[in-house]
PDB file of all heavy atoms in Angstrom:
ATOM      1  N   THR A 208      -6.032   8.701  -2.603  1.00 94.00           N
ATOM      2  CA  THR A 208      -6.074   7.245  -2.625  1.00 94.00           C
ATOM      3  C   THR A 208      -7.549   6.839  -2.655  1.00 94.00           C
ATOM      4  O   THR A 208      -8.422   7.686  -2.809  1.00 94.00           O
ATOM      5  CB  THR A 208      -5.327   6.626  -1.422  1.00 94.00           C
ATOM      6  OG1 THR A 208      -5.895   7.105  -0.214  1.00 94.00           O
ATOM      7  CG2 THR A 208      -3.839   6.970  -1.486  1.00 94.00           C
ATOM      8  N   SER A 209      -7.814   5.565  -2.507  1.00 91.00           N
ATOM      9  CA  SER A 209      -9.171   5.045  -2.661  1.00 91.00           C
ATOM     10  C   SER A 209     -10.136   5.635  -1.636  1.00 91.00           C
ATOM     11  O   SER A 209      -9.770   5.906  -0.489  1.00 91.00           O
ATOM     12  CB  SER A 209      -9.140   3.519  -2.542  1.00 91.00           C
ATOM     13  OG  SER A 209     -10.372   2.974  -2.882  1.00 91.00           O
ATOM     14  N   LYS A 210     -11.385   5.796  -2.060  1.00 88.00           N
ATOM     15  CA  LYS A 210     -12.413   6.437  -1.240  1.00 88.00           C
ATOM     16  C   LYS A 210     -12.609   5.739   0.101  1.00 88.00           C
ATOM     17  O   LYS A 210     -12.675   6.378   1.139  1.00 88.00           O
ATOM     18  CB  LYS A 210     -13.729   6.475  -2.010  1.00 88.00           C
ATOM     19  CG  LYS A 210     -14.828   7.256  -1.331  1.00 88.00           C
ATOM     20  CD  LYS A 210     -16.035   7.360  -2.237  1.00 88.00           C
ATOM     21  CE  LYS A 210     -17.100   8.254  -1.663  1.00 88.00           C
ATOM     22  NZ  LYS A 210     -18.234   8.408  -2.561  1.00 88.00           N
ATOM     23  N   GLU A 211     -12.731   4.448   0.091  1.00 81.00           N
ATOM     24  CA  GLU A 211     -12.939   3.683   1.321  1.00 81.00           C
ATOM     25  C   GLU A 211     -11.747   2.753   1.493  1.00 81.00           C
ATOM     26  O   GLU A 211     -11.622   1.771   0.764  1.00 81.00           O
ATOM     27  CB  GLU A 211     -14.227   2.874   1.231  1.00 81.00           C
ATOM     28  CG  GLU A 211     -15.447   3.737   1.006  1.00 81.00           C
ATOM     29  CD  GLU A 211     -16.669   2.943   0.597  1.00 81.00           C
ATOM     30  OE1 GLU A 211     -16.602   1.702   0.540  1.00 81.00           O
ATOM     31  OE2 GLU A 211     -17.687   3.582   0.314  1.00 81.00           O
ATOM     32  N   SER A 212     -10.884   3.094   2.432  1.00 84.00           N
ATOM     33  CA  SER A 212      -9.710   2.241   2.572  1.00 84.00           C
ATOM     34  C   SER A 212      -9.162   2.247   3.988  1.00 84.00           C
ATOM     35  O   SER A 212      -9.272   3.239   4.712  1.00 84.00           O
ATOM     36  CB  SER A 212      -8.612   2.684   1.595  1.00 84.00           C
ATOM     37  OG  SER A 212      -8.119   3.949   1.909  1.00 84.00           O
ATOM     38  N   SER A 213      -8.581   1.137   4.326  1.00 91.00           N
ATOM     39  CA  SER A 213      -7.873   1.017   5.594  1.00 91.00           C
ATOM     40  C   SER A 213      -6.529   1.737   5.447  1.00 91.00           C
ATOM     41  O   SER A 213      -6.088   2.019   4.327  1.00 91.00           O
ATOM     42  CB  SER A 213      -7.636  -0.461   5.908  1.00 91.00           C
ATOM     43  OG  SER A 213      -6.772  -1.022   4.917  1.00 91.00           O
ATOM     44  N   PRO A 214      -5.856   2.008   6.551  1.00 93.00           N
ATOM     45  CA  PRO A 214      -4.518   2.622   6.456  1.00 93.00           C
ATOM     46  C   PRO A 214      -3.547   1.768   5.634  1.00 93.00           C
ATOM     47  O   PRO A 214      -2.723   2.303   4.890  1.00 93.00           O
ATOM     48  CB  PRO A 214      -4.068   2.732   7.913  1.00 93.00           C
ATOM     49  CG  PRO A 214      -5.335   2.783   8.696  1.00 93.00           C
ATOM     50  CD  PRO A 214      -6.312   1.904   7.946  1.00 93.00           C
ATOM     51  N   GLU A 215      -3.673   0.451   5.737  1.00 95.00           N
ATOM     52  CA  GLU A 215      -2.791  -0.435   4.975  1.00 95.00           C
ATOM     53  C   GLU A 215      -3.061  -0.307   3.477  1.00 95.00           C
ATOM     54  O   GLU A 215      -2.141  -0.262   2.672  1.00 95.00           O
ATOM     55  CB  GLU A 215      -2.969  -1.898   5.410  1.00 95.00           C
ATOM     56  CG  GLU A 215      -2.554  -2.193   6.833  1.00 95.00           C
ATOM     57  CD  GLU A 215      -3.622  -1.794   7.866  1.00 95.00           C
ATOM     58  OE1 GLU A 215      -4.812  -1.624   7.508  1.00 95.00           O
ATOM     59  OE2 GLU A 215      -3.250  -1.620   9.035  1.00 95.00           O
ATOM     60  N   TYR A 216      -4.338  -0.232   3.120  1.00 96.00           N
ATOM     61  CA  TYR A 216      -4.682  -0.102   1.709  1.00 96.00           C
ATOM     62  C   TYR A 216      -4.265   1.268   1.177  1.00 96.00           C
ATOM     63  O   TYR A 216      -3.812   1.383   0.044  1.00 96.00           O
ATOM     64  CB  TYR A 216      -6.180  -0.346   1.492  1.00 96.00           C
ATOM     65  CG  TYR A 216      -6.575  -0.380   0.039  1.00 96.00           C
ATOM     66  CD1 TYR A 216      -5.918  -1.220  -0.862  1.00 96.00           C
ATOM     67  CD2 TYR A 216      -7.603   0.425  -0.436  1.00 96.00           C
ATOM     68  CE1 TYR A 216      -6.282  -1.258  -2.199  1.00 96.00           C
ATOM     69  CE2 TYR A 216      -7.974   0.393  -1.775  1.00 96.00           C
ATOM     70  CZ  TYR A 216      -7.310  -0.452  -2.651  1.00 96.00           C
ATOM     71  OH  TYR A 216      -7.661  -0.478  -3.976  1.00 96.00           O
ATOM     72  N   HIS A 217      -4.397   2.287   1.982  1.00 94.00           N
ATOM     73  CA  HIS A 217      -3.921   3.618   1.592  1.00 94.00           C
ATOM     74  C   HIS A 217      -2.446   3.525   1.184  1.00 94.00           C
ATOM     75  O   HIS A 217      -2.047   4.062   0.145  1.00 94.00           O
ATOM     76  CB  HIS A 217      -4.106   4.611   2.744  1.00 94.00           C
ATOM     77  CG  HIS A 217      -3.506   5.959   2.497  1.00 94.00           C
ATOM     78  ND1 HIS A 217      -4.182   6.971   1.860  1.00 94.00           N
ATOM     79  CD2 HIS A 217      -2.277   6.449   2.783  1.00 94.00           C
ATOM     80  CE1 HIS A 217      -3.394   8.032   1.772  1.00 94.00           C
ATOM     81  NE2 HIS A 217      -2.244   7.739   2.339  1.00 94.00           N
ATOM     82  N   SER A 218      -1.652   2.851   1.968  1.00 96.00           N
ATOM     83  CA  SER A 218      -0.221   2.690   1.671  1.00 96.00           C
ATOM     84  C   SER A 218      -0.002   1.880   0.397  1.00 96.00           C
ATOM     85  O   SER A 218       0.878   2.207  -0.404  1.00 96.00           O
ATOM     86  CB  SER A 218       0.502   2.009   2.837  1.00 96.00           C
ATOM     87  OG  SER A 218       0.461   2.837   3.968  1.00 96.00           O
ATOM     88  N   GLN A 219      -0.799   0.821   0.201  1.00 97.00           N
ATOM     89  CA  GLN A 219      -0.677   0.008  -1.018  1.00 97.00           C
ATOM     90  C   GLN A 219      -1.013   0.824  -2.258  1.00 97.00           C
ATOM     91  O   GLN A 219      -0.330   0.728  -3.285  1.00 97.00           O
ATOM     92  CB  GLN A 219      -1.584  -1.210  -0.940  1.00 97.00           C
ATOM     93  CG  GLN A 219      -1.178  -2.242   0.069  1.00 97.00           C
ATOM     94  CD  GLN A 219      -2.246  -3.318   0.239  1.00 97.00           C
ATOM     95  OE1 GLN A 219      -3.153  -3.447  -0.567  1.00 97.00           O
ATOM     96  NE2 GLN A 219      -2.125  -4.081   1.319  1.00 97.00           N
ATOM     97  N   VAL A 220      -2.061   1.625  -2.181  1.00 97.00           N
ATOM     98  CA  VAL A 220      -2.468   2.463  -3.308  1.00 97.00           C
ATOM     99  C   VAL A 220      -1.391   3.506  -3.598  1.00 97.00           C
ATOM    100  O   VAL A 220      -1.014   3.715  -4.755  1.00 97.00           O
ATOM    101  CB  VAL A 220      -3.835   3.128  -3.049  1.00 97.00           C
ATOM    102  CG1 VAL A 220      -4.139   4.192  -4.093  1.00 97.00           C
ATOM    103  CG2 VAL A 220      -4.932   2.071  -3.017  1.00 97.00           C
ATOM    104  N   ALA A 221      -0.884   4.142  -2.567  1.00 97.00           N
ATOM    105  CA  ALA A 221       0.169   5.143  -2.759  1.00 97.00           C
ATOM    106  C   ALA A 221       1.388   4.510  -3.427  1.00 97.00           C
ATOM    107  O   ALA A 221       1.965   5.093  -4.357  1.00 97.00           O
ATOM    108  CB  ALA A 221       0.548   5.769  -1.420  1.00 97.00           C
ATOM    109  N   TRP A 222       1.763   3.328  -3.004  1.00 97.00           N
ATOM    110  CA  TRP A 222       2.912   2.650  -3.589  1.00 97.00           C
ATOM    111  C   TRP A 222       2.639   2.294  -5.059  1.00 97.00           C
ATOM    112  O   TRP A 222       3.487   2.500  -5.922  1.00 97.00           O
ATOM    113  CB  TRP A 222       3.269   1.399  -2.787  1.00 97.00           C
ATOM    114  CG  TRP A 222       4.456   0.662  -3.349  1.00 97.00           C
ATOM    115  CD1 TRP A 222       4.473  -0.599  -3.844  1.00 97.00           C
ATOM    116  CD2 TRP A 222       5.793   1.151  -3.484  1.00 97.00           C
ATOM    117  NE1 TRP A 222       5.742  -0.927  -4.278  1.00 97.00           N
ATOM    118  CE2 TRP A 222       6.571   0.133  -4.060  1.00 97.00           C
ATOM    119  CE3 TRP A 222       6.412   2.360  -3.170  1.00 97.00           C
ATOM    120  CZ2 TRP A 222       7.930   0.282  -4.344  1.00 97.00           C
ATOM    121  CZ3 TRP A 222       7.774   2.510  -3.451  1.00 97.00           C
ATOM    122  CH2 TRP A 222       8.508   1.482  -4.020  1.00 97.00           C
ATOM    123  N   ALA A 223       1.448   1.805  -5.365  1.00 97.00           N
ATOM    124  CA  ALA A 223       1.095   1.457  -6.745  1.00 97.00           C
ATOM    125  C   ALA A 223       1.117   2.700  -7.635  1.00 97.00           C
ATOM    126  O   ALA A 223       1.616   2.665  -8.769  1.00 97.00           O
ATOM    127  CB  ALA A 223      -0.277   0.782  -6.795  1.00 97.00           C
ATOM    128  N   LYS A 224       0.589   3.797  -7.143  1.00 98.00           N
ATOM    129  CA  LYS A 224       0.591   5.033  -7.921  1.00 98.00           C
ATOM    130  C   LYS A 224       2.018   5.529  -8.147  1.00 98.00           C
ATOM    131  O   LYS A 224       2.368   5.972  -9.243  1.00 98.00           O
ATOM    132  CB  LYS A 224      -0.242   6.113  -7.226  1.00 98.00           C
ATOM    133  CG  LYS A 224      -1.727   5.857  -7.304  1.00 98.00           C
ATOM    134  CD  LYS A 224      -2.493   7.013  -6.686  1.00 98.00           C
ATOM    135  CE  LYS A 224      -3.976   6.852  -6.903  1.00 98.00           C
ATOM    136  NZ  LYS A 224      -4.663   8.145  -6.918  1.00 98.00           N
ATOM    137  N   PHE A 225       2.836   5.455  -7.118  1.00 98.00           N
ATOM    138  CA  PHE A 225       4.230   5.861  -7.260  1.00 98.00           C
ATOM    139  C   PHE A 225       4.938   5.007  -8.306  1.00 98.00           C
ATOM    140  O   PHE A 225       5.672   5.525  -9.155  1.00 98.00           O
ATOM    141  CB  PHE A 225       4.943   5.771  -5.902  1.00 98.00           C
ATOM    142  CG  PHE A 225       6.385   6.169  -5.972  1.00 98.00           C
ATOM    143  CD1 PHE A 225       6.744   7.510  -6.024  1.00 98.00           C
ATOM    144  CD2 PHE A 225       7.385   5.212  -5.989  1.00 98.00           C
ATOM    145  CE1 PHE A 225       8.074   7.884  -6.097  1.00 98.00           C
ATOM    146  CE2 PHE A 225       8.715   5.575  -6.067  1.00 98.00           C
ATOM    147  CZ  PHE A 225       9.063   6.913  -6.125  1.00 98.00           C
ATOM    148  N   LYS A 226       4.713   3.695  -8.252  1.00 98.00           N
ATOM    149  CA  LYS A 226       5.325   2.794  -9.233  1.00 98.00           C
ATOM    150  C   LYS A 226       4.874   3.130 -10.649  1.00 98.00           C
ATOM    151  O   LYS A 226       5.676   3.097 -11.590  1.00 98.00           O
ATOM    152  CB  LYS A 226       4.997   1.336  -8.898  1.00 98.00           C
ATOM    153  CG  LYS A 226       5.813   0.794  -7.730  1.00 98.00           C
ATOM    154  CD  LYS A 226       5.391  -0.591  -7.298  1.00 98.00           C
ATOM    155  CE  LYS A 226       5.551  -1.626  -8.359  1.00 98.00           C
ATOM    156  NZ  LYS A 226       5.264  -2.991  -7.865  1.00 98.00           N
ATOM    157  N   SER A 227       3.602   3.464 -10.828  1.00 97.00           N
ATOM    158  CA  SER A 227       3.102   3.831 -12.148  1.00 97.00           C
ATOM    159  C   SER A 227       3.776   5.099 -12.668  1.00 97.00           C
ATOM    160  O   SER A 227       4.132   5.184 -13.845  1.00 97.00           O
ATOM    161  CB  SER A 227       1.592   4.020 -12.122  1.00 97.00           C
ATOM    162  OG  SER A 227       0.956   2.776 -11.962  1.00 97.00           O
ATOM    163  N   LEU A 228       3.940   6.066 -11.805  1.00 97.00           N
ATOM    164  CA  LEU A 228       4.637   7.290 -12.212  1.00 97.00           C
ATOM    165  C   LEU A 228       6.066   6.995 -12.637  1.00 97.00           C
ATOM    166  O   LEU A 228       6.539   7.491 -13.665  1.00 97.00           O
ATOM    167  CB  LEU A 228       4.643   8.315 -11.076  1.00 97.00           C
ATOM    168  CG  LEU A 228       3.351   9.046 -10.797  1.00 97.00           C
ATOM    169  CD1 LEU A 228       3.457   9.846  -9.494  1.00 97.00           C
ATOM    170  CD2 LEU A 228       2.978   9.969 -11.956  1.00 97.00           C
ATOM    171  N   ARG A 229       6.755   6.199 -11.852  1.00 97.00           N
ATOM    172  CA  ARG A 229       8.160   5.873 -12.167  1.00 97.00           C
ATOM    173  C   ARG A 229       8.259   5.052 -13.454  1.00 97.00           C
ATOM    174  O   ARG A 229       9.187   5.234 -14.234  1.00 97.00           O
ATOM    175  CB  ARG A 229       8.825   5.110 -11.016  1.00 97.00           C
ATOM    176  CG  ARG A 229       8.967   5.880  -9.742  1.00 97.00           C
ATOM    177  CD  ARG A 229       9.731   7.204  -9.833  1.00 97.00           C
ATOM    178  NE  ARG A 229      10.994   7.087 -10.508  1.00 97.00           N
ATOM    179  CZ  ARG A 229      11.556   8.046 -11.255  1.00 97.00           C
ATOM    180  NH1 ARG A 229      10.956   9.201 -11.411  1.00 97.00           N
ATOM    181  NH2 ARG A 229      12.711   7.863 -11.837  1.00 97.00           N
ATOM    182  N   ARG A 230       7.309   4.151 -13.678  1.00 97.00           N
ATOM    183  CA  ARG A 230       7.348   3.309 -14.873  1.00 97.00           C
ATOM    184  C   ARG A 230       7.040   4.115 -16.131  1.00 97.00           C
ATOM    185  O   ARG A 230       7.702   3.952 -17.150  1.00 97.00           O
ATOM    186  CB  ARG A 230       6.358   2.151 -14.743  1.00 97.00           C
ATOM    187  CG  ARG A 230       6.383   1.222 -15.976  1.00 97.00           C
ATOM    188  CD  ARG A 230       5.501   0.018 -15.823  1.00 97.00           C
ATOM    189  NE  ARG A 230       4.109   0.450 -15.831  1.00 97.00           N
ATOM    190  CZ  ARG A 230       3.150  -0.114 -15.125  1.00 97.00           C
ATOM    191  NH1 ARG A 230       3.407  -1.124 -14.336  1.00 97.00           N
ATOM    192  NH2 ARG A 230       1.917   0.312 -15.195  1.00 97.00           N
ATOM    193  N   HIS A 231       6.053   4.979 -16.064  1.00 97.00           N
ATOM    194  CA  HIS A 231       5.602   5.686 -17.262  1.00 97.00           C
ATOM    195  C   HIS A 231       6.273   7.040 -17.486  1.00 97.00           C
ATOM    196  O   HIS A 231       6.277   7.536 -18.615  1.00 97.00           O
ATOM    197  CB  HIS A 231       4.082   5.872 -17.220  1.00 97.00           C
ATOM    198  CG  HIS A 231       3.329   4.593 -17.352  1.00 97.00           C
ATOM    199  ND1 HIS A 231       3.207   3.927 -18.553  1.00 97.00           N
ATOM    200  CD2 HIS A 231       2.672   3.848 -16.444  1.00 97.00           C
ATOM    201  CE1 HIS A 231       2.486   2.836 -18.378  1.00 97.00           C
ATOM    202  NE2 HIS A 231       2.155   2.755 -17.102  1.00 97.00           N
ATOM    203  N   LEU A 232       6.804   7.639 -16.445  1.00 97.00           N
ATOM    204  CA  LEU A 232       7.469   8.936 -16.569  1.00 97.00           C
ATOM    205  C   LEU A 232       8.824   8.903 -15.852  1.00 97.00           C
ATOM    206  O   LEU A 232       9.088   9.691 -14.937  1.00 97.00           O
ATOM    207  CB  LEU A 232       6.585  10.049 -15.976  1.00 97.00           C
ATOM    208  CG  LEU A 232       5.300  10.355 -16.743  1.00 97.00           C
ATOM    209  CD1 LEU A 232       4.336  11.191 -15.907  1.00 97.00           C
ATOM    210  CD2 LEU A 232       5.628  11.061 -18.053  1.00 97.00           C
ATOM    211  N   PRO A 233       9.708   7.992 -16.264  1.00 97.00           N
ATOM    212  CA  PRO A 233      10.964   7.813 -15.526  1.00 97.00           C
ATOM    213  C   PRO A 233      11.902   9.018 -15.562  1.00 97.00           C
ATOM    214  O   PRO A 233      12.703   9.191 -14.652  1.00 97.00           O
ATOM    215  CB  PRO A 233      11.599   6.591 -16.206  1.00 97.00           C
ATOM    216  CG  PRO A 233      11.025   6.602 -17.586  1.00 97.00           C
ATOM    217  CD  PRO A 233       9.620   7.107 -17.422  1.00 97.00           C
ATOM    218  N   SER A 234      11.808   9.849 -16.576  1.00 97.00           N
ATOM    219  CA  SER A 234      12.719  11.002 -16.670  1.00 97.00           C
ATOM    220  C   SER A 234      12.224  12.212 -15.896  1.00 97.00           C
ATOM    221  O   SER A 234      12.934  13.209 -15.787  1.00 97.00           O
ATOM    222  CB  SER A 234      12.935  11.387 -18.139  1.00 97.00           C
ATOM    223  OG  SER A 234      11.764  11.976 -18.672  1.00 97.00           O
ATOM    224  N   VAL A 235      11.024  12.124 -15.348  1.00 98.00           N
ATOM    225  CA  VAL A 235      10.459  13.255 -14.611  1.00 98.00           C
ATOM    226  C   VAL A 235      10.804  13.117 -13.135  1.00 98.00           C
ATOM    227  O   VAL A 235      10.552  12.086 -12.521  1.00 98.00           O
ATOM    228  CB  VAL A 235       8.926  13.333 -14.816  1.00 98.00           C
ATOM    229  CG1 VAL A 235       8.327  14.440 -13.956  1.00 98.00           C
ATOM    230  CG2 VAL A 235       8.592  13.535 -16.285  1.00 98.00           C
ATOM    231  N   HIS A 236      11.373  14.175 -12.598  1.00 97.00           N
ATOM    232  CA  HIS A 236      11.734  14.200 -11.180  1.00 97.00           C
ATOM    233  C   HIS A 236      10.841  15.236 -10.503  1.00 97.00           C
ATOM    234  O   HIS A 236      11.154  16.433 -10.484  1.00 97.00           O
ATOM    235  CB  HIS A 236      13.218  14.512 -11.006  1.00 97.00           C
ATOM    236  CG  HIS A 236      14.087  13.509 -11.694  1.00 97.00           C
ATOM    237  ND1 HIS A 236      14.281  12.237 -11.218  1.00 97.00           N
ATOM    238  CD2 HIS A 236      14.741  13.573 -12.868  1.00 97.00           C
ATOM    239  CE1 HIS A 236      15.049  11.562 -12.052  1.00 97.00           C
ATOM    240  NE2 HIS A 236      15.334  12.350 -13.065  1.00 97.00           N
TER     241      HIS A 236
END
């Protein structure tokens, strides 16, 4: 996740990255 981040931002970044994976690679499990 981001180099300098609060725990809340870490969670936001992880969620955004997960959403990107699901949006762009939906058939990959």
Side-chain angles (χ1 to χ4, degrees):
T208 58
S209 189
K210 187 174 186 177
E211 301 167 3
S212 66
S213 64
E215 295 80 19
Y216 187 53
H217 173 87
S218 295
Q219 291 171 15
V220 169
W222 180 243
K224 287 184 173 207
F225 180 78
K226 284 174 62 174
S227 289
L228 285 170
R229 295 303 310 147
R230 181 175 69 214
H231 292 286
L232 292 165
S234 71
V235 175
H236 301 286

